[in-house]
Amino acid sequence: MATVKAVMGNLTVAERQVLTAVNSGASSLSFVGSGFIVLCYFLFKQLRKFSFKLVFYLALSDMCCSFFSIIGDPSKGFFCYAQGYTTHFFCLASFLWTTTIAFTLHRTVVRHKTDVEDLEPMFHLYVWGTSGVMTVIRSIANNHEHLSRLGTWCWAQTGHTGKVVHFITFYAPLWGAILFNGVTYFQVIRMLNNATRMAVGMSERSYQPDPRSDMKALNRWGYYPLILIGSWFFGTINRIHDVIEPGHKIFWLSVLDVGMAQLMGLFNSIAYGLNSSVRRAIYERLDLLPEWSQRWLPKSSKSRGQQQDSELVSLKIQDQQ
């Protein structure tokens, strides 16, 4: 992963071991979280709709990124390249898939288009193609070698050119995705807020929207851009610091860099994957358990899962106008 390779520097052996443990622990959590979403997609047929299919591709990218971050470098040159480039590829794909989700929501809610499913081939070309091109460009000025004293790290020896290429191929697309998602969700939330106020003003008690459900959905969308910011803020600061003072590494910043970046998969699985549709599918499957085992389950779980048919519950407001 791009973050992992640039944080070791002049750190002591003990500090490097801490970073290795943080990397493995955070990556394992992300792998489990994203793997759970992938498993739900295969287990529950009712989830195989286009909107959740995009979440599935996001979780799959996160799972692959976490997996290759965990296994590290098998101490062979070829595998060192493979480990470094696969993590770069799938991490790029991860936040690029978030832009397709934002684009789909914007096209459906703001532009009132119904052709988003027809755009799936273009989404694949955009995500996998961009990730592939950026990963190939990243090889410029990079000289990979294995650091045997660390055991699991594949280090990228980069000079000034390598650092510039690193920013261009990873952090430029990253912050471009953050900006795009932020603007897109702002427009979607503003659109639905206006629709809610209009529906309330025009209704005559025959339709009364649930403001708590609407605001829950709106607030959830507002958190999506914050996931990328929170995951990569410290990594960006660490890269800038590395350019300014290349021979000096800040340990606590490196810990936050590696830890938060590797938790991106977990954050995505919670925010994008654990929506009401997934919870309802799980609760319906739990209903098949023997009655004695259901006594141990929260009584309100099922009712909470049935309150919303999807995270796009606010779209019903527009249908009533």
Side-chain angles (χ1 to χ4, degrees):
M1 189 173 182
T3 301
V4 171
K5 300 177 184 65
V7 297
M8 306 305 284
N10 61 340
L11 300 178
T12 66
V13 174
E15 291 173 336
R16 290 168 177 168
Q17 291 175 346
V18 170
L19 284 177
T20 303
V22 170
N23 171 71
S24 299
S27 298
S28 298
L29 291 175
S30 291
F31 181 82
V32 172
S34 55
F36 174 76
I37 301 303
V38 171
L39 183 63
C40 286
Y41 179 82
F42 286 114
L43 288 179
F44 306 124
K45 293 182 179 180
Q46 62 268 40
L47 294 179
R48 299 173 192 173
K49 301 176 181 179
F50 179 73
S51 58
F52 197 79
K53 186 183 293 186
L54 297 180
V55 176
F56 163 73
Y57 293 135
L58 168 63
L60 186 64
S61 299
D62 284 328
M63 187 174 68
C64 293
C65 179
S66 300
F67 172 76
F68 288 109
S69 296
I70 293 172
I71 62 173
D73 170 36
S75 75
K76 299 295 183 179
F78 171 78
F79 291 104
C80 180
Y81 277 97
Q83 189 266 348
Y85 290 144
T86 50
T87 52
H88 190 268
F89 176 87
F90 286 111
C91 285
L92 274 169
S94 174
F95 59 73
L96 290 178
W97 277 118
T98 67
T99 63
T100 66
I101 296 174
F103 174 84
T104 299
L105 190 60
H106 182 274
R107 189 171 181 83
T108 303
V109 176
V110 179
R111 301 187 63 187
H112 307 288
K113 300 292 185 178
T114 59
D115 60 345
V116 286
E117 294 190 28
D118 298 333
L119 299 177
E120 182 178 353
M122 296 299 298
F123 287 164
H124 284 285
L125 179 62
Y126 156 67
V127 173
W128 305 124
T130 302
S131 300
V133 170
M134 292 296 103
T135 302
V136 171
I137 295 177
R138 176 183 171 273
S139 64
I140 300 175
N142 276 7
N143 178 26
H144 291 262
E145 62 181 17
H146 179 260
L147 296 184
S148 58
R149 66 180 182 275
L150 299 178
T152 59
W153 297 79
C154 183
W155 178 261
Q157 301 288 355
T158 58
H160 178 73
T161 302
K163 293 176 181 179
V164 172
V165 171
H166 189 188
F167 273 99
I168 293 175
T169 60
F170 191 85
Y171 286 95
L174 167 67
W175 286 98
I178 291 174
L179 180 61
F180 175 82
N181 289 353
V183 172
T184 299
Y185 283 115
F186 172 78
Q187 294 178 353
V188 170
I189 292 173
R190 183 179 61 179
M191 175 75 177
L192 292 179
N193 276 329
N194 293 336
T196 301
R197 288 193 293 267
M198 291 178 61
V200 172
M202 297 173 61
S203 62
E204 297 179 355
R205 294 187 178 274
S206 59
Y207 170 70
Q208 292 294 335
D210 184 357
R212 291 179 298 178
S213 298
D214 297 339
M215 289 308 301
K216 184 177 180 180
L218 295 179
N219 290 335
R220 188 184 186 92
W221 297 334
Y223 291 142
Y224 291 165
L226 297 179
I227 294 175
L228 288 178
I229 295 175
S231 298
W232 295 104
F233 174 78
F234 296 105
T236 304
I237 297 301
N238 207 15
R239 297 292 83 72
I240 295 175
H241 176 268
D242 183 54
V243 172
I244 298 175
E245 297 186 43
H248 179 256
K249 301 295 181 181
I250 302 176
F251 175 64
W252 64 266
L253 183 59
S254 298
V255 171
L256 292 173
D257 175 358
V258 174
M260 294 301 294
Q262 300 293 359
L263 286 174
M264 179 180 64
L266 178 64
F267 297 150
N268 284 337
S269 63
I270 294 174
Y272 289 92
L274 293 181
N275 55 38
S276 60
S277 299
V278 175
R279 295 195 298 269
R280 185 174 59 254
I282 295 174
Y283 297 145
E284 290 175 354
R285 187 61 60 89
L286 292 177
D287 287 341
L288 301 178
L289 297 175
E291 292 185 4
W292 64 267
S293 62
Q294 295 186 22
R295 298 175 183 175
W296 300 96
L297 300 176
K299 295 182 180 180
S300 60
S301 295
K302 183 177 179 180
S303 61
R304 286 198 303 265
Q306 293 177 337
Q307 287 178 356
Q308 299 177 353
D309 288 337
S310 71
E311 295 302 327
L312 300 181
V313 64
S314 295
L315 294 182
K316 296 179 181 178
I317 298 173
Q318 294 174 290
D319 297 333
Q320 298 291 335
Q321 297 180 4

